[in-house]
Structure formats: structure tokens, C-alpha cells
């Protein structure tokens, strides 16, 4: 009689850890000349914290914004604001610990096209 030696996993039929039930992004843009303003909302749904689906991380919603200036066809500058409401949220879990998402931050970047 042959015996099946494949390992039995406790995750069979469960959603993998840190995979959200739902994600959604909504962005609005407004341009005037070489300037562009963008406002975005990011939603990440409930996620399980382990492969057994025995614990979960709550959903979260954060707001981001970008102001861009196009200097010419090759160069543009962007001021990016992330998590403008400075919300605390669990971005993922690892080994039963929650890893917090980034708080409010601003970044300035340049895009060079050639």
C-alpha cells in the first residue's frame, strides 16, 4: 500500500498572511499650465496575520497628495505627502508582531527623462 508523504499544511484553504481582502485606490488630478495637484485615498482591507487565519489586522485608509511642476519636457519636480492624516496602522505582520505603517512623511523628487 503506497503512502502519501506530502506534508499537511495548516494553511490549506486559507487566505495567505498579509493578503488583504480588498484594496482600492482613488486619485483625482487637477492641472494648470505646468503645475499639477493630485489627491489620493488608499484603502487596504482586513488581512490575516498568520496562515492559519487565526488573527487579523484591521483595514486602514490613508490620504496622499502630490504637487508637481514640469520645468520642461525632460525635467519635473514632485512634492509628495504620504499619510497626511498621520494615522497609525498595521501595514503587515510577521511572527505574530504587527509592523506599523509609515507615519506622515514628505519627499521631494526630480524626474529626469532622456
Amino acid at each position: 500500500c503506497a503512502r502519501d508523504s506530502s506534508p499537511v499544511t495548516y494553511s490549506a484553504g486559507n487566505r495567505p498572511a498579509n493578503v488583504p481582502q480588498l484594496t482600492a485606490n482613488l486619485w483625482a488630478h487637477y492641472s494648470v499650465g505646468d503645475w499639477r495637484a493630485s489627491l489620493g485615498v488608499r484603502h487596504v482591507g482586513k488581512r490575516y496575520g498568520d496562515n492559519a487565519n487565526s488573527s487579523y489586522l484591521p483595514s486602514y485608509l490613508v490620504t496622499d497628495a502630490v504637487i508637481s511642476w514640469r520645468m520642461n519636457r525632460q525635467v519635473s519636480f514632485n512634492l509628495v505627502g504620504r499619510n497626511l492624516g498621520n494615522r497609525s496602522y498595521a501595514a503587515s505582520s510577521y511572527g505574530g508582531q504587527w509592523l506599523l505603517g509609515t507615519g506622515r512623511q514628505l519627499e521631494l523628487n526630480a524626474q529626469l527623462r532622456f
Side-chain angles (χ1 to χ4, degrees), residues 25-29 38-42 62-66 81 83-84:
N25 293 288
L26 178 65
W27 281 88
H29 308 281
S38 303
L39 183 64
V41 177
R42 204 170 9 123
V62 293
T63 305
D64 304 323
V66 181
N83 190 6
L84 296 178

Side-chain angles (χ1 to χ4, degrees), residues 45-90:
K46 174 179 146 180
R47 291 135 303 139
Y48 288 105
D50 58 15
N51 287 333
N53 290 178
S54 62
S55 66
Y56 74 91
L57 287 77
S59 62
Y60 65 89
L61 181 86
V62 293
T63 305
D64 304 323
V66 181
I67 297 175
S68 302
W69 175 57
R70 188 172 178 177
M71 189 169 88
N72 55 42
R73 291 185 65 178
Q74 289 80 28
V75 180
S76 61
F77 296 95
N78 303 302
L79 179 63
V80 181
R82 300 184 196 282
N83 190 6
L84 296 178
N86 201 25
R87 297 200 45 161
S88 295
Y89 62 93

